[in-house]
């Protein structure tokens, strides 16, 4: 077997093994605590809710095991066989060029998307449905999927053509040009998303009057200016509550899900908004974007260097080379570090969540924040008894019991 193909497959299998082991730990932790509500939540979470969260957590782990295995098979088949076959097919009747490369990438993308579709449909229409989270009828699921696929093609297509063109026109520094264009795209994406993309999926209306006044008072108290307060009809798709801020500077908007507004009393909604304000106050969104831009620079530099190496394609056993495969496999090799980067990114994200919680505690008090987190955990059926290692690897947010314990400890100290 070609050496690079062997190395990448070994690495992928190693991570798959680690994932399976972590999943087993998480399942064991959920199972061994499901008979009793943890003491800290004995007054706020019923045994029924606790058992429902356990059942949901275990069902998701089982789903993750199956979908992980299917993803693995698709990836291995694609690497060992698919890439070379598709490249040979197009090579047989097209001369090398941007169009041929684009078609190769398009066929591989469509194949990968179709392979993943049944799993996505199952997760939402069966698994999430069974626990009452899904509110999307199959017809809306199909409509959303079609729109998202067309959008990806409409946005991704020109970007890929640009990169393929730059690889031919500026063989050395093409990746630098790609970095500049993608950075620009990342900077304007939030605005485009809010104005053009999000309205395709949801309706945004001014925040209901009874909540607008307290939220505006909170903004005034914390010296925060916004470009508008909105609520979004998230209940059309899911019963989960959330809030987000989008954009930068004075045009940033605050969006609250109608599910959050319907299910939480006003003090808890204020706590959730205060938490989001904490993220802005400590510039988490901005530094996150800067980290993304710097990370993209190194990623593209690595891809640019790898794609130029004559050993890359033979190393994967490719007998019908095309720049498209160079780009794809360079991306795969450079991206093989991503599980480690994700680990670091999740650790940073969890630290930011603690900071935002602390900001909310000093702004609205500890009780509403604890109550909001508890209600969110209960309504979202998040486990209150996660495994430490599983959480360390996967969680972008610290588990609710950890956040609540930290809030109460800090409040006791203050
Ligand atoms: Zn947060």
């Amino acid at each position: 077997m070609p050496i690079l193909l062997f190395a990448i497959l070994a690495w992928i299998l190693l991570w798959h093994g680690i994932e399976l082991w972590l999943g087993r730990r998480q399942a064991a932790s959920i199972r061994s605590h499901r008979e009793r509500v943890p003491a800290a939540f004995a007054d706020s979470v019923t045994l029924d809710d606790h058992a429902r969260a356990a059942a949901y957590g275990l069902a998701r782990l089982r789903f993750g095991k199956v979908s992980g295995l299917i993803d693995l098979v698709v990836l291995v088949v694609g690497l060992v066989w698919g890439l070379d076959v598709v490249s040979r097919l197009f090579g047989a009747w097209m001369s090398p060029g941007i169009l041929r490369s684009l078609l190769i990438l398009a066929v591989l993308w469509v194949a990968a998307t179709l392979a993943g579709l049944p799993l996505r449909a199952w997760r939402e229409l069966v698994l999430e449905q069974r626990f009452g989270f899904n509110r999307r009828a199959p017809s809306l699921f199909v409509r959303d999927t079609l729109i998202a696929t067309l959008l990806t093609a409409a946005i991704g297509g020109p970007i890929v053509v640009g990169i393929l063109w730059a690889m031919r026109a500026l063989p050395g520094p093409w990746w630098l040009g790609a970095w500049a264009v993608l950075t620009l795209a990342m900077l304007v994406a939030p605005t485009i998303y809010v104005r053009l993309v999000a309205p395709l999926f949801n309706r945004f209306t001014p925040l209901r009057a009874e909540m607008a006044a307290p939220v505006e008072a909170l903004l005034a108290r914390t010296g925060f200016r916004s470009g508008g307060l909105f609520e979004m009809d998230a209940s059309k798709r899911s019963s989960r509550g959330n809030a987000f801020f989008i954009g930068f500077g004075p045009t940033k908007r605050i969006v609250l899900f109608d599910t959050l507004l319907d299910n939480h009393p006003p003090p808890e909604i204020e706590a959730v908004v205060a938490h989001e304000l904490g993220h802005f106050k400590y510039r988490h969104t901005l530094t996150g974007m800067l980290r993304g831009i710097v990370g993209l620079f190194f990623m593209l530099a690595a891809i640019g260097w790898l794609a130029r190496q004559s050993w890359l394609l033979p190393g994967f056993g490719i007998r019908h080379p095309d720049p498209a495969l160079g780009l794809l496999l360079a991306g795969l090799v450079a991206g093989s570090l991503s599980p480690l980067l994700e680990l670091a990114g999740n650790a940073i994200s969890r630290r930011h969540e603690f900071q935002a919680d602390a900001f909310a505690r000093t702004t609205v008090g500890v009780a509403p924040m604890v109550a909001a987190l508890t209600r969110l955990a209960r309504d979202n059926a998040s486990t209150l008894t996660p495994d430490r290692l599983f959480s360390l690897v996967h969680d972008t947010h610290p588990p609710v019991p950890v956040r609540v314990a930290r809030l109460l400890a800090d409040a006791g100290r203050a």
Side-chain angles (χ1 to χ4, degrees):
M1 185 185 282
I3 180 78
L4 267 178
L5 181 59
F6 178 79
I8 282 282
L9 289 180
W11 176 247
I12 290 168
L13 282 174
L14 172 70
W15 267 102
H16 190 76
I18 293 174
E19 290 284 357
L20 284 177
W21 174 67
L22 288 171
R24 280 176 73 124
R25 289 183 57 108
Q26 174 82 340
S29 181
I30 292 176
R31 230 178 258 123
S32 67
H33 293 100
R34 74 174 146 190
E35 316 288 343
R36 215 159 57 93
V37 180
F41 298 91
D43 296 332
S44 48
V45 175
T46 65
L47 187 59
D48 275 356
D49 287 329
H50 184 61
R52 171 170 171 264
Y56 178 60
L58 292 171
R60 276 181 47 144
L61 286 166
R62 275 195 301 276
F63 173 81
K65 223 156 70 173
V66 175
S67 66
L69 187 67
I70 293 176
D71 287 346
L72 184 72
V73 169
V74 169
L75 189 63
V76 170
V77 169
L79 280 178
V80 173
W81 178 79
L83 296 188
D84 203 43
V85 165
V86 172
S87 180
R88 192 185 68 206
L89 280 177
F90 281 96
W93 58 276
M94 284 181 84
S95 49
I98 292 178
L99 185 62
R100 188 177 89 175
S101 297
L102 182 68
L103 286 175
I104 291 175
L105 289 176
V107 165
L108 292 170
W109 174 64
V110 168
T113 306
L114 287 178
L117 196 56
L119 283 173
R120 279 194 38 235
W122 168 275
R123 186 181 65 205
E124 178 159 331
L125 300 176
V126 179
L127 175 64
E128 298 286 307
Q129 182 78 31
R130 195 192 317 150
F131 288 90
F133 290 126
N134 178 48
R135 298 235 181 109
R136 207 150 54 151
S139 58
L140 185 58
F141 178 83
V142 171
R143 174 188 176 271
D144 284 353
T145 305
L146 275 176
I147 294 181
T149 309
L150 291 175
L151 271 177
T152 308
I155 297 169
I159 290 179
V160 170
V161 169
I163 289 178
L164 290 168
W165 171 82
M167 281 174 84
R168 289 163 71 97
L170 340 150
W174 67 264
W175 61 270
L176 211 54
W179 177 70
V181 172
L182 288 175
T183 297
L184 196 69
M186 274 166 81
L187 292 176
V188 298
T191 312
I192 294 184
Y193 179 78
V194 167
R195 303 283 153 119
L196 300 176
V197 179
L200 292 176
F201 295 96
N202 284 101
R203 250 202 12 225
F204 293 81
T205 45
L207 183 59
R208 55 191 75 172
E210 72 266 27
M211 254 347 274
V215 170
E216 261 156 23
L218 178 65
L219 295 181
R221 210 160 71 227
T222 48
F224 188 90
R225 291 221 322 271
S226 92
L229 299 170
F230 295 88
E231 63 179 89
M232 185 184 111
D233 59 345
S235 57
K236 195 160 104 178
R237 292 188 172 77
S238 163
S239 61
R240 291 169 198 280
N242 210 341
F244 64 89
F245 287 26
I246 197 151
F248 293 101
T251 64
K252 59 187 171 291
R253 293 177 171 198
I254 301 179
V255 180
L256 303 181
F257 286 16
D258 57 352
T259 40
L260 180 80
L261 293 162
D262 292 341
N263 298 335
H264 291 252
E268 292 180 21
I269 297 170
E270 281 181 60
V272 171
V273 174
H275 170 97
E276 295 302 323
L277 286 173
H279 283 309
F280 251 91
K281 161 98 181 159
Y282 294 112
R283 299 182 193 287
H284 293 155
T285 326
L286 200 65
T287 52
M289 176 160 282
L290 288 177
R291 268 205 319 280
I293 291 171
V294 173
L296 187 66
F297 179 88
F298 287 110
M299 185 75 176
L300 284 169
I303 292 177
W305 181 78
L306 284 163
R308 257 201 329 269
Q309 305 308 312
S310 56
W311 43 259
L312 182 73
L313 293 183
F316 279 96
I318 300 289
R319 286 165 302 169
H320 303 85
D322 185 282
L325 299 190
L327 193 62
L328 212 59
L329 291 170
L332 184 75
V333 173
S336 60
L337 284 180
S338 61
L340 301 177
L341 295 176
E342 210 168 292
L343 217 59
N346 286 350
I348 294 173
S349 164
R350 288 194 298 267
R351 216 184 55 216
H352 288 172
E353 292 307 321
F354 283 132
Q355 288 177 337
D357 281 352
F359 182 80
R361 174 177 57 78
T362 54
T363 324
V364 299
V366 68
M369 191 65 223
V370 168
L373 284 174
T374 305
R375 193 186 306 269
L376 281 170
R378 197 192 65 196
D379 292 354
N380 293 339
S382 321
T383 178
L384 296 172
T385 62
D387 174 61
R388 269 186 67 100
L389 274 181
F390 182 90
S391 169
L392 207 63
V393 172
H394 288 287
D395 286 348
T396 55
H397 288 55
V400 163
V402 180
R403 289 171 73 178
V404 166
R406 173 79 69 100
L407 279 163
L408 293 173
D410 288 352
R413 221 174 288 127

